[in-house]
């Protein structure tokens, strides 16, 4: 007897529909699985057979053949255990066949018949919904993710026996109620840190606010212990709340990587990823035989913080150049090309020299050649993708012990959100949302200057020997500063501040960027 059930597999972070076909016929008894399968899928043969036995299903020894279609796409993961078991039981004539026509199944089986959670449920359920499935049977632990998709009925399954009870009595399907707020997130994410904890560093706080408002990449440069990492860790606290679309995009990546917190449907906070400087290029950008998202994709819609910037392997840094420009990563392998999101705000922190105290010669023991080599670890093409470079001042005793009222993250976030709304209205329908994403034509359109400002920028261009990229970078940052001030026109003060965020590049790396 032949049967067919529906499931889904993963390619990158996207799901695709899979048909699981089973045939029980005459011949030498055995269990055979085909369809371009990874080793963990082939092992489903033993898991399914043992789970069926331990769940009380004693079936006559027959020749069982299972095919996963399409056969030209490599299937990986353990999510096919449940659909294979259901297909085999249906081929033996167990269950109501009409239920299988518009239902899909996802889940890993334990040897005792328990249905275990799997990765990538958001993507899998989305693919099955797009295919027109009416309902999806999932492990109970994955129900919140399935409900977050919102376009398909979700049925939670505890074990294989419960699964078959529902298939034999379809009237019981849907009678289990799930909490109505199972996929709801807090209106405003709560963070354990806040900008009010930072004393002093007024310039750095302002530069960070500008960077977040326009999604400009930022580099913190200063001596050890001056607060670079502390400030970077608080960047997500002043970023706008996640929209529903952003939550789905981020959560899909984390679900595929198995990093979604247990029992959570969607992530409520913007990601903050801070990989160690020993990271490989593949771990940074994504890859592997079956490509998985890297750190830049895990940080999408949030912050990728690279502490000790020059200590990273050059290959790991250079692999960021294209993703930072295109806001996506394309990984090509023999099995196909996979695209992951990489819409990040890059924040980097570094010391100015190996010992960390240049140019304070009373403390710095590095010679000029050592300083030059250390700074030279950061390539100029990568520096060109950083819009703001700011120096953290040494912390004084008064900064540490002084009592003062610092601005809280919530206050800064309100200004950032107002500037963000101005940008959304400005770029409505263009496919971009922030000033940092503007191309040259948009810079000319939205960053127009008056006669005095034009003459000022002409002198700055000549004196600082700016490149075309550097010139446009200044204008985009100035546009963001004007948005924070609520000004329609960029004036000289905005340009001066934007140029000031380039002074460190000239001071440490020379002119001409």
């Amino acid at each position: 007897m032949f049967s067919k059930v529906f499931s889904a597999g993963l390619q990158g972070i996207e799901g695709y529909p899979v048909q699981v076909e089973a045939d029980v016929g005459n011949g030498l008894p055995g269990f055979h699985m085909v369809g371009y399968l990874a080793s963990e899928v082939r092992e489903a043969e033993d898991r399914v057979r043992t789970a069926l036995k331990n769940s009380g299903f004693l079936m006559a020894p027959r020749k069982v053949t299972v095919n996963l279609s399409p056969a030209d796409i490599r299937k990986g993961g353990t999510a096919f255990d449940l659909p294979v078991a259901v297909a085999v039981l249906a081929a033996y004539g167990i269950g109501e066949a009409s239920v299988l026509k518009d239902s899909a199944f996802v889940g890993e089986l334990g040897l005792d018949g328990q249905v275990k959670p799997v990765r990538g449920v958001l993507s899998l359920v989305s693919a099955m919904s797009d295919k027109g499935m009416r309902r999806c049977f999932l492990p109970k632990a994955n129900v919140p993710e399935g409900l977050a998709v919102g376009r398909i009925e979700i049925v939670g399954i505890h074990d294989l026996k419960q699964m078959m009870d529902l298939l034999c009595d379809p009237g019981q399907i849907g009678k289990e109620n799930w909490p109505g707020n199972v996929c709801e997130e807090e209106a405003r994410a709560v963070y354990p840190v806040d900008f009010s904890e930072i004393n002093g560093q007024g310039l750095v706080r302002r530069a960070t606010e500008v960077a977040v408002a326009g999604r400009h990449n930022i580099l913190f440069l200063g001596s050890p212990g001056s607060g670079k990492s502390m400030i970077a860790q608080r960047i997500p606290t002043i970023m706008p709340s996640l929209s529903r679309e952003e939550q789905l995009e981020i959560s899909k990546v984390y679900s595929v990587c198995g990093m979604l917190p247990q029992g959570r449907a969607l992530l409520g906070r913007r990601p903050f990823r801070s990989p160690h400087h020993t990271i490989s290029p593949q771990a940074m950008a994504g890859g592997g035989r079956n490509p998985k998202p890297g750190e830049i994709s895990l940080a999408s819609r949030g912050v990728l913080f690279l502490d000790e910037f020059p200590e990273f392997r050059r290959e790991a840094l250079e692999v960021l150049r294209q993703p930072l420009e295109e806001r996506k990563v394309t990984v090509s392998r023999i099995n196909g090309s996979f695209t992951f999101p990489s819409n990040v705000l890059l924040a980097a922190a570094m010391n100015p020299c190996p010992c960390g105290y240049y140019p304070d010669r009373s403390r710095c023991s590095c010679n000029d050649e050592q300083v030059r080599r250390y700074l030279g670890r950061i390539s100029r093409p990568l520096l060109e993708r950083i819009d703001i470079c700011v120096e953290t001042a040494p912390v004084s005793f008064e900064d540490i012990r002084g009592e003062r009222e610092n601005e809280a993250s919530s206050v800064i976030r309100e200004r950032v959100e107002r500037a963000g709304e101005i940008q959304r209205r400005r770029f409505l329908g263009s496919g971009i949302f922030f000033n940092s994403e503007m191309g040259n034509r948009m810079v000319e359109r939205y960053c127009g200057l008056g006669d005095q400002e034009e003459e000022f920028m002409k002198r700055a261009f000549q004196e600082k020997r700016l490149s075309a990229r550097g010139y446009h970078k200044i204008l985009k940052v100035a546009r963001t500063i004007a948005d924070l001030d609520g000004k329609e026109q960029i004036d000289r003060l905005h340009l001066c501040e934007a140029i000031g965020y380039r002074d460190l590049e000239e001071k440490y790396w020379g002119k001409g960027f």
Side-chain angles (χ1 to χ4, degrees), residues 47-48 50-59 81-82 85-86 89 94-96 105 108-116 137-138 140 155-170 172-173 176:
R47 288 195 298 271
V48 169
T50 307
L52 289 172
K53 176 181 70 70
N54 290 332
S55 298
F57 298 100
L58 301 178
M59 293 165 290
D81 290 7
L82 182 61
V86 172
L89 288 170
I94 302 175
E96 181 63 46
F105 304 84
E108 177 184 342
L109 289 177
L111 298 183
D112 58 353
Q114 297 289 313
V115 181
K116 300 181 178 181
F137 294 88
L138 294 176
K140 283 194 174 181
V155 182
I157 300 300
H158 180 264
D159 57 31
L160 192 55
K161 189 175 185 308
Q162 179 196 7
M163 178 76 259
M164 296 316 299
D165 287 343
L166 292 177
L167 290 181
C168 293
D169 185 8
Q172 297 299 315
I173 297 176
E176 184 170 6

Side-chain angles (χ1 to χ4, degrees), residues 198-236:
I198 299 175
N199 292 334
Q201 304 293 3
L203 174 62
V204 183
R205 291 168 62 99
R206 168 65 176 178
T208 305
E209 179 181 337
V210 173
V212 173
R215 290 302 190 275
H216 302 286
N217 299 325
I218 184 169
L219 172 64
F220 302 106
L221 191 149
S223 57
S226 56
K228 303 185 292 296
S229 300
M230 185 177 181
I231 293 171
Q233 290 166 358
R234 284 154 178 76
I235 291 178

Side-chain angles (χ1 to χ4, degrees), residues 16-138:
Y16 65 94
V18 173
Q19 294 183 7
V20 180
E21 303 168 333
D23 180 79
V24 175
N26 297 325
L28 188 65
F31 197 117
H32 308 282
M33 293 184 63
V34 296
Y36 197 7
L37 311 178
S39 59
E40 64 270 19
V41 182
R42 290 189 179 279
E43 291 167 355
E45 173 185 330
D46 294 321
R47 288 195 298 271
V48 169
R49 187 169 52 233
T50 307
L52 289 172
K53 176 181 70 70
N54 290 332
S55 298
F57 298 100
L58 301 178
M59 293 165 290
R62 304 286 294 276
K63 180 182 179 181
V64 179
T65 304
V66 177
N67 176 50
L68 275 64
S69 175
D72 61 339
I73 300 177
R74 190 171 188 269
K75 322 298 187 306
T78 58
F80 296 111
D81 290 7
L82 182 61
V84 168
V86 172
V88 170
L89 288 170
Y92 271 99
I94 302 175
E96 181 63 46
S98 60
V99 180
L100 305 180
K101 295 180 180 179
D102 56 2
S103 299
F105 304 84
V106 168
E108 177 184 342
L109 289 177
L111 298 183
D112 58 353
Q114 297 289 313
V115 181
K116 300 181 178 181
V118 296
R119 299 181 178 185
V121 167
L122 277 172
S123 301
L124 297 175
V125 173
S126 294
M128 291 181 284
S129 175
D130 294 341
K131 183 66 175 176
M133 294 292 103
R134 176 185 172 186
R135 69 175 66 88
C136 180
F137 294 88
L138 294 176

Side-chain angles (χ1 to χ4, degrees), residues 108-376:
E108 177 184 342
L109 289 177
L111 298 183
D112 58 353
Q114 297 289 313
V115 181
K116 300 181 178 181
V118 296
R119 299 181 178 185
V121 167
L122 277 172
S123 301
L124 297 175
V125 173
S126 294
M128 291 181 284
S129 175
D130 294 341
K131 183 66 175 176
M133 294 292 103
R134 176 185 172 186
R135 69 175 66 88
C136 180
F137 294 88
L138 294 176
K140 283 194 174 181
N142 290 131
V143 165
E145 287 183 69
L147 291 175
V149 176
R151 305 188 303 270
I152 185 172
E153 180 185 354
I154 300 299
V155 182
I157 300 300
H158 180 264
D159 57 31
L160 192 55
K161 189 175 185 308
Q162 179 196 7
M163 178 76 259
M164 296 316 299
D165 287 343
L166 292 177
L167 290 181
C168 293
D169 185 8
Q172 297 299 315
I173 297 176
K175 289 191 175 181
E176 184 170 6
N177 294 320
W178 302 102
N181 62 346
V182 72
C183 63
E184 295 296 325
E185 294 297 319
E186 297 179 8
R188 176 74 70 181
V190 178
Y191 295 89
V193 295
D194 195 275
F195 259 86
S196 61
E197 300 163 346
I198 299 175
N199 292 334
Q201 304 293 3
L203 174 62
V204 183
R205 291 168 62 99
R206 168 65 176 178
T208 305
E209 179 181 337
V210 173
V212 173
R215 290 302 190 275
H216 302 286
N217 299 325
I218 184 169
L219 172 64
F220 302 106
L221 191 149
S223 57
S226 56
K228 303 185 292 296
S229 300
M230 185 177 181
I231 293 171
Q233 290 166 358
R234 284 154 178 76
I235 291 178
T237 69
I238 63 173
M239 300 179 81
S241 298
L242 288 167
S243 66
R244 177 74 174 185
E245 293 73 17
E246 289 175 324
Q247 283 184 312
L248 285 170
E249 177 186 311
I250 296 169
S251 301
K252 186 180 290 187
V253 174
Y254 276 72
S255 177
V256 167
C257 294
M259 299 172 62
L260 203 61
Q262 186 70 29
R264 294 287 296 276
L266 301 174
L267 293 177
R269 296 179 184 174
R270 291 193 179 271
F272 179 86
R273 302 293 298 179
S274 181
H276 193 263
H277 62 258
T278 57
I279 188 172
S280 68
Q282 291 77 19
M284 182 72 83
R289 182 178 180 184
N290 298 311
K292 296 288 182 65
E295 286 292 335
I296 193 170
S297 296
L298 290 169
S300 189
R301 302 293 181 177
V303 180
L304 177 63
F305 177 50
L306 304 183
D307 202 3
E308 304 298 342
F309 201 29
E311 302 298 334
F312 283 79
R313 293 167 54 183
R314 192 177 187 92
E315 297 85 355
L317 293 180
E318 295 304 305
V319 79
L320 297 176
R321 285 161 54 177
Q322 188 174 359
L324 289 175
E325 288 284 341
E326 299 183 356
R327 312 285 176 173
K328 61 182 180 180
V329 181
T330 300
V331 179
S332 296
R333 295 291 183 268
I334 192 170
N335 293 330
S337 294
F338 307 87
T339 299
F340 306 130
S342 63
N343 193 350
V344 303
L345 189 157
L346 174 65
M350 62 178 291
N351 299 329
C353 68
C355 76
Y357 296 103
Y358 181 84
D360 183 359
R361 284 306 187 182
S362 66
R363 305 179 71 184
C364 177
S365 58
C366 304
N367 59 44
D368 291 342
E369 179 60 22
Q370 288 175 314
V371 174
R372 187 191 66 79
R373 284 202 305 269
Y374 186 76
L375 296 175

